[in-house]
Amino acid sequence: MQRIGVFVCHCGTNIAATVDVKRVVEAAAKEPGVVHAEDYQYMCSEAGQLKIREAIEQKHLTGIVVCSCSPRMHENTFRQAAKRAGINPYMVEIANIREHCSWIHKDIEEATEKAVILARAAIAKVMLNAPLTPGTSQVVKRALVIGGGIAGIQTALDIADAGYEVDIVEKTPSIGGRMSQLDKTFPTLDCSACILTPKMVEAAAHEKITIYTYSEVEKVSGFVGDFHVDIRKKARSVDMSKCTGCGVCQEKCPSRKTPNEFNRGLNTRSAIYTPFAQAIPNVPVIDREHCTKFKTGKCGVCAKVCQAGAIDYDQQDEIITVDYGAIVVATGFDTIKLDKYDEYAYNQSPDVITSLELERIMNAAGPTKGHLERMSDHKPPKSMVFIQCVGSRCADKRGKSYCSKICCMYTAKHAMLIRDKYPDVDVTVFYIDVRTPGKNFDEFYRRAVEEYGVHYIKGQVGKVAPQGDKLLVQAADLLDNKQIRMETDMVVLATAIEPNPDVRKIATMLTASIDTNNFLTESHAKLRPVESPTAGIFLSGVCQGPKDIPETVAQAGAAAVKVVGLLAKDHLVTNPCTAKADPIFCNGCSTCEKVCPYGAISYEDQLVNDHGIRETRRVAVVNSALCQGCGACTVACPSGAMDLQGFSNRQILAEVDAICR
Amino acid sequence: MQGLIERAKELLADGTVAQVLGWRKGDMGYDPEPAYFKSEEELKDFVYDAFCGANLSKYMIEAAKLEGKTLVFLKPCDTYSFNQLIKEHRVDRDKTYIIGVGCQGTLKPEKIREAGIKGIETVTIDGDTLKFDTIYGAKEMPFADALLERCKVCKGKKHMVYDELIGAAEDEEAGPVGNRFEEVEKLEAMSPEERFAFWQEQLSKCIRCNACRNVCPACSCRKCVFDSNQYDTSQKANAATFEEQMFHIIRAFHVAGRCTDCGECSRVCPQGIPLHLLNRKFIKDIDSFYGEYQAGADTDSRGPLTNFTFEDVEPSIVQTRGGGH
Amino acid sequence: MQKVDMAKADRLREMSGVNTRKCMKCGKCSASCPAYEEMDIRPHQFVSYVESGDIEPLLESKSIWKCLSCFACVERCPRDVKPAKLIEAVRQMVVRQRGGNYLSPNEVPELLNEELPQQLLASAFRKYSK
Amino acid sequence: MQVENTEFRPKIVAFCCNWCSYAGADLAGSSRLAYPADVKIIRVPCSCRVNPMFILRAFQRGADGVILCGCHPGDCHYTTGNYYARRRMTLLFSMLDYLGVENGRTRVEWVSAAEGVKFSTTMNEFVAKIHELGENVRLEDLRCKG
Amino acid sequence: MYQIAKNKLNDLYQAISEKEDLFLPVSKGGQTNYGLWTNEAVADIDTLKTVKSGKDCFFPQSEVLYKSRHENGKISIDPTELQNKPFVVFGMRACDVRAVKVLDNVFLTDPVDSYYAARREHGTIVSLACHEPEETCFCKNFDVDAAEPGADVETWMVGESLYWKALTEKGESLTALVKEALADSFAEAGAEGEKKVEKEQAAVRGIIEKLPLSHLDLSRFKPENTMELFDSPAWEDMYKPCLACGTCTFVCPTCQCYDIRDFDGGKAGIRHYRCWDSCMYSDFTMMAHGNMRTSQLQRFRQRFMHKLVYYPANNDGMYSCVGCGRCVSKCPSSLNIVKVIKKLGGEGNE
């Protein structure tokens, strides 16, 4: 017979303000099986946990129910408290009377009544709980980082420096990511390449780091500590072991009309190419879609000019399977498409550009060799307009609801750099709010205004229209309460950023949850910001939310520490809430096996003794190390032989009964 | 029929099989029972005619535990059930010798009684006519009028699995007959209130004798969930209509995607509840939501409930599909 | 001292279906407005006036007769606030207070002119007939 | 949307998967997004854990509506669980409809951990629907009444 | 003896039901079973055999014995009231009337089953003689006379009239009740009526004589042959087609086994109820240690040994089979007690 204790938490006033805690205690005390019930200000506090411990010891409780916040908050806290008091940690159930009750209801009567019912359901469930013992599983001492931008590189370096093997999988031909496209960085204005390249080189040279560029993650199976990942190494058509990186092939390649992705399409590149001069690895790839040899079979110039004989037109995609203990997602971002913003004339005039395009124009290795000029006539502009919040903070479907966070600062940077290098160019920034939280950020913005004479006008631009070789900008100056119509030579749009679209596919493979904006969800917004709710999956960089370089690097380091913390363990404790087949009921029909996503179910011939009737039969056996406890098999099983420990049929039915009573 | 007996004798004699599973003559001419035959002598009571409605597939679960091979006679629709049982590892194909037998449709004695024919002493099937000697004199009725509902919408006279065929239909006449979803469609076209009344009247007759479950080749569980103490379902009592609804819904759900539509449930129900209409509803839904699927047509495909596609319809289709639903 | 009339503000919100709290004060409506120069109270101000319950000046404003109902502000507002609908609502409120019709449907055909955009006529009818 | 407080207080059971919908309900809670107290949530690891029997049992015991919430298709924590749940529930709901049970009493909704607002609006809508349908009589078990 | 026109039977039902609950064969969903007479009910006394027998009227398939409730830490018990109002069962055939005697032997001997006893005390049985017995009938073997069904009142349907004869005190008072309510349409049948009934009886007995199953050899089913019958190798062959369903036991008018269970109805409390059980079920007599009968052969054997050997051994030779033939027509596998009698009774039957 179970002896249940019920502990009702006030959570300060969070619960007690809307739920009559005393009445919950009274009602719970009358439930069959309950031998102890009490309430306390903060059950999760040291003192609260002590109360639980005392009650368990003094009243010889076999199980406890804590009526408090969501089990997602403190289930583990109370399980540990129970464990310390000497009962099995799985003899604990939580009635969520905060998130699911006190916080959403206003009427005390109603909320109290509901809290009583929720407590009753938890009591009914715990009455059927059985002690569970977690098993253990091995940890593969190797990590995978998906994405080779600054987030991925930093995470990989930190993990590798701690002594663990790390693989980076990068989709493009080189690591470096968005940061490699930037010219200068705020607020210090140091050269982006100068600080990034050494990290790239370090990663490439690190003995613990393996880099797979031009590669993609194809399939992921397994679970924390033991993921199995298929990586597709796309055919490069260049033998990496032979290529010397001399670049002759790229010079001689006759097909040169492909838009240069690295320069955001502002110029073109050859079909065989390395994305940029400092690319790592410095080995080109053949873009088979645009290569004449692959399109028509005629050409082969690159093979002829390659001294090293590295060109290999017959190379095939290769799939390798590697086991990892942890996976870090660092897939980064892209700017949103501006197709739906006709009012800014982005598709109508080459002189309306995005900020990332401006970065390339400003960069010495960019399409204009670093000269500021209009893309239409290559003339230097006399005046420039920057428009903030293009596609950010939008309630409609055209843009994104969030603030892209980095635009205010990089716009100030651009404005400042232009005024510095070309003092005769008149620069105007139209803003809604200037957001500059961050060390030395506001000072930086003020310098742009005060020292460099950038005009900041509060008011979003309504329309940009090409007029002759000029652009007409129409806006309202909200502070002067007047409408502005001004002609300018160039317009730069601070375009919203969004997670790399590929992240959705990757999140699905990893079973990591993702929000409506395609940002990966962190396990807890405040307390676990670099962990995905899926065990063993960590988040680094903008894939989790907009952030600038220093924040990205900080998060990359944090993710690395979490990975190292995981890899440092030899064994992981597995979830004991696994499926279990009752051989007496099992038909051995193989239905459950078909729905198991983990291949955790196998069949064996077993001697089954059903009340003295002995028979050797084929029955299902669950590998508890592989089983993750989803319960798909329990419903697929026609005879009800399969049940889930911790969420058994009887437990759930008892909850249903208790709620409907 | 003599051909079947002769072949069974041969297979017994040459040691191919150790026993024969077929039908044994009854007392009335319309009540043959499934039976094992172990010798030539016993086979004199063997019978195969339109009254041999029983699907012998399910008996093969137990037969797998016997010594030696068992020869079983399966009608075309029985072979679907057998295949499904192979898929579920419930029968042993290697210990089975299947003779596929031809079928002209099977009969329901209840229908003869409903036609007012009683006191039957002998029955003769004479082409399209059933002839009876009764203590109330000679009687007859059309063969077709005594057909089981399932045979009026036969899904085809092709055998899905066999070692040899005797008397099986030629290809041209083996195709399906009638629209088996007609009755389901009729119900679907009713208002929810009418449907509720219909099922209420039918299911309230249930006496929980479990004949439907026990005869069903898909209900092959060693121990049924309804025989388990775990769920607090009152197994035997027809105490409240809810229990009957629950039992029949769950039973239909458990066999959904596995039911071959053999119609045994409706054949055996002592209260004449059209249970096949529940199973057929699932079959119809599966066909329309997830593509045509015939359980038992093969032994290795994934059943519709252990499968999915990314584009599957959402459950809200039940609300939005409109029509009589 | 400003006279606060929250009842009217609520009424305007209800009539227009505009949630004034969604406004983030970016001014894109005013930036887009072709009639801006002729208005005494600007489109973005309509939103904040209603939000603060300062309705009297709106009812007296000439802006409501200057708005072309071109809906550029509705189209471009990043927060989906729809200032033009709010202006329309103020206009209706004024017209209903006055109770007079300035244009009857019978008069419309006479005014038809091939050069005239139909949208203008439709909005004029709305503007002067309610 | 707020439901008027009338005599009829429906009993509504919401099965929520641990990873998305239960967290979505938590988010609705921490965002103080109200929905009627008639809704009581049962935590299950995955939508695929929900056996049709649980749903029938709820109706038997007097529930007026049952809703199942899980991760969006493609986002299942266990990769594929909600796909199976989707098929099972589609067929079950269709069967209940076929038996003449009002088809608004059951519902499946995909609610992610980030969709507190959706959770709350879904529950408000569902409770309103159940108010419209009134008390569940077609699946009631008289032995559980009174 | 009284007489009432067939087309006035609804008046008869109405008259009885105004005073007492009336149970009679009612057609619903295409099947005829005993049910309560109401204005909407479709009485069907032409069908020879109801699917379930009239056993339900005295020993319902499921009945609550008591309800209990756990509230505020206290347990309360609320026993079901015993039957305390008179009721009438109309239309029972001779075999079913005999079956009630079989049940009486079980439930009315010490220890008396008070639920059953109360119903028997308050119930009046109006029997109905058979008109056209079927080939599945074999009541003659058990000395049941389908032409003279007995009980409190016995009736015959001859042509367009129902003839009514009270046999007991209860029968007399029911007759008085009917007479008072119906007056003219329920009249003395007179000598002519008696004659008609006698003629009908003779005809029915003649038919029964000719029925194919009317002459079974029951001579071997004696207590002294118990072990021999028990050990017969024939069981091994016979049980094989049995599906282990409960059809035969649930349609049987004499099967009296029941199970007692609890149903937790939540706020409605716990119902302690009994319901028919079937010895064919694998969990029949399931106990903590398991089941005494571990194979279907044993369960199958139990049923027929009980009907034909054990019961008569304890009840002065009265068989616990009445030859109604329901199992003969309803068994999904066409198995039945007749096949068993023939197999075990040796050759030379009939």
Side-chain angles (χ1 to χ4, degrees), chain A residues 190-201:
Chain A
D190 32 15
C191 147
S192 185
C194 309
I195 53 177
L196 175 65
T197 316
K199 289 222 178 264
M200 290 165 63
V201 173

Side-chain angles (χ1 to χ4, degrees), chain E residues 299-313:
Chain E
R299 296 188 274 268
F300 182 85
R301 177 172 59 195
Q302 167 64 20
R303 180 161 195 271
F304 298 104
M305 287 297 282
H306 184 231
K307 294 246 180 273
L308 300 170
V309 184
Y310 308 150
Y311 186 96

Side-chain angles (χ1 to χ4, degrees), chain B residues 189-200:
Chain B
M190 291 180 182
S191 71
E193 290 69 30
E194 290 169 326
R195 280 201 295 274
F196 183 73
F198 172 84
W199 284 112
Q200 196 65 18

Side-chain angles (χ1 to χ4, degrees), chain A residues 343-344 393 395 460 474 481 483, chain C residues 26 28 30-31 36 42 78:
Chain A
E343 66 257 42
Y344 296 131
R393 308 169 71 190
Q460 181 66 309
Q474 180 181 315
N481 206 11
Q483 201 171 47
Chain C
C26 72
K28 200 172 178 183
S30 289
Y36 181 93
R42 270 64 193 256

Side-chain angles (χ1 to χ4, degrees), chain C residues 38-85:
Chain C
E38 296 174 47
M39 289 185 170
D40 48 356
I41 297 175
R42 270 64 193 256
H44 72 278
Q45 292 174 295
F46 266 80
V47 181
S48 54
Y49 274 52
V50 173
E51 177 61 20
S52 55
D54 194 6
I55 309 301
E56 215 48 51
L58 297 181
L59 298 173
E60 283 157 17
S61 158
K62 62 177 184 182
S63 295
I64 54 175
W65 312 112
K66 298 296 175 188
C67 168
L68 301 169
S69 300
C70 72
F71 280 51
C73 52
V74 173
E75 197 56 36
R76 292 185 190 153
C77 173
R79 306 297 304 169
D80 203 19
V81 179
K82 310 184 188 82
K85 297 207 169 176

Side-chain angles (χ1 to χ4, degrees), chain A residues 183-184 189 353 355 358-359 361-362 370-373 381-386 410-429 448 452 454 490 492:
Chain A
D183 182 43
K184 299 275 184 330
L189 295 183
I353 57 172
S355 302
L358 181 64
E359 289 283 352
I361 291 171
M362 305 279 285
H371 300 297
L372 180 65
E373 57 188 49
K382 285 274 173 296
S383 103
M384 287 178 79
V385 162
F386 286 81
Y410 70 58
T411 298
K413 174 189 78 179
H414 289 151
M416 192 188 278
L417 286 171
I418 289 166
R419 291 285 299 160
D420 185 45
K421 231 170 147 184
Y422 311 96
D424 56 332
V425 178
D426 189 63
V427 176
T428 308
V429 177
Y452 292 89
V454 179
M490 275 176 93
V492 182

Side-chain angles (χ1 to χ4, degrees), chain A residues 387-399:
Chain A
I387 305 176
Q388 301 263 259
C389 298
V390 175
S392 297
R393 308 169 71 190
C394 273
D396 58 30
K397 289 256 152 50
R398 299 195 298 171

